[in-house]
């Protein structure tokens, strides 16, 4: 028998930031490249991804997925969040593991565009 009382839904990394900036203009930047920008209308967990829905400047509704990050740094007063996909973010700052991780090579020839990078999310504060 399944007990509803024992079911616990964890908060998503970055959920507080995204919730606070619903209906705000928001920009997703990876390095120097702007991935998407528009008004944030919805986000939800979809397995190991965050499914994000935006209204673009042309009033088109666009949805896209980003992987759930290893770590999140949020700066609410500046409307800024960093989603960390770096391998060192996965293990924290334990130097003995970071040294070993630097030697790891991915066998997949087409890793995710987020692999070992930081996604910057900038919301327009109103």
């Amino acid at each position: 028998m399944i007990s509803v009382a024992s079911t616990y839904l964890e908060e998503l990394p970055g959920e507080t930031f995204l919730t606070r900036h619903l209906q705000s203009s928001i920009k997703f930047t990876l390095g120097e490249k702007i991935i998407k920008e528009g008004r944030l209308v919805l986000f939800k967990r979809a397995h190991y991804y965050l499914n994000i829905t935006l209204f673009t400047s042309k009033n088109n509704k666009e949805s896209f997925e980003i992987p759930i990050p290893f770590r999140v740094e949020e700066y609410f007063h500046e409307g800024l969040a960093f989603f960390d996909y770096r391998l060192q973010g996965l293990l924290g700052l334990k130097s003995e593991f970071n040294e070993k991780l630097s030697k790891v090579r991915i066998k997949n020839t087409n890793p995710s565009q987020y692999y070992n990078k930081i996604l910057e999310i900038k919301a327009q504060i109103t």
Side-chain angles (χ1 to χ4, degrees):
M1 184 164 131
I2 298 174
S3 170
V4 176
S6 66
T7 304
Y8 178 75
L9 298 175
E10 278 188 39
E11 182 178 296
L12 291 169
E15 180 177 358
T16 306
F17 179 84
L18 293 172
T19 301
R20 182 176 281 193
H21 294 292
L22 281 169
Q23 298 297 324
S24 297
S25 292
I26 198 161
K27 186 187 323 184
F28 295 83
T29 308
L30 192 64
E32 298 296 318
K33 181 182 177 189
I34 296 173
I35 296 175
K36 295 281 183 190
E37 62 182 314
R39 188 166 45 97
L40 179 64
V41 291
L42 181 67
F43 70 92
K44 64 181 180 177
R45 178 184 288 198
H47 300 287
Y48 299 105
Y49 292 88
L50 289 172
N51 185 300
I52 297 176
T53 303
L54 302 174
F55 277 128
T56 63
S57 59
K58 299 176 185 173
N59 271 343
N60 293 335
K61 184 174 152 184
E62 287 189 26
S63 293
F64 66 103
E65 290 183 335
I66 59 173
I68 293 176
F70 302 138
R71 277 185 342 126
V72 175
E73 289 182 33
E74 299 170 338
Y75 301 95
F76 292 113
H77 298 295
E78 290 133 25
L80 190 61
F82 296 104
F83 281 22
D84 190 351
Y85 297 102
R86 296 175 300 172
L87 295 176
Q88 66 192 31
L90 178 62
L91 296 173
L93 300 174
K94 298 176 183 165
S95 61
E96 69 267 10
F97 293 120
N98 285 333
E99 189 176 312
K100 291 178 183 178
L101 273 177
S102 65
K103 297 175 185 175
V104 172
R105 299 281 182 232
I106 291 188
K107 294 179 182 177
N108 183 356
T109 56
N110 296 323
S112 167
Q113 68 177 338
Y114 301 99
Y115 173 72
N116 222 10
K117 295 184 181 168
I118 295 177
L119 175 69
E120 178 184 306
I121 304 172
K122 176 73 175 156
Q124 184 176 354
I125 299 179
T126 53

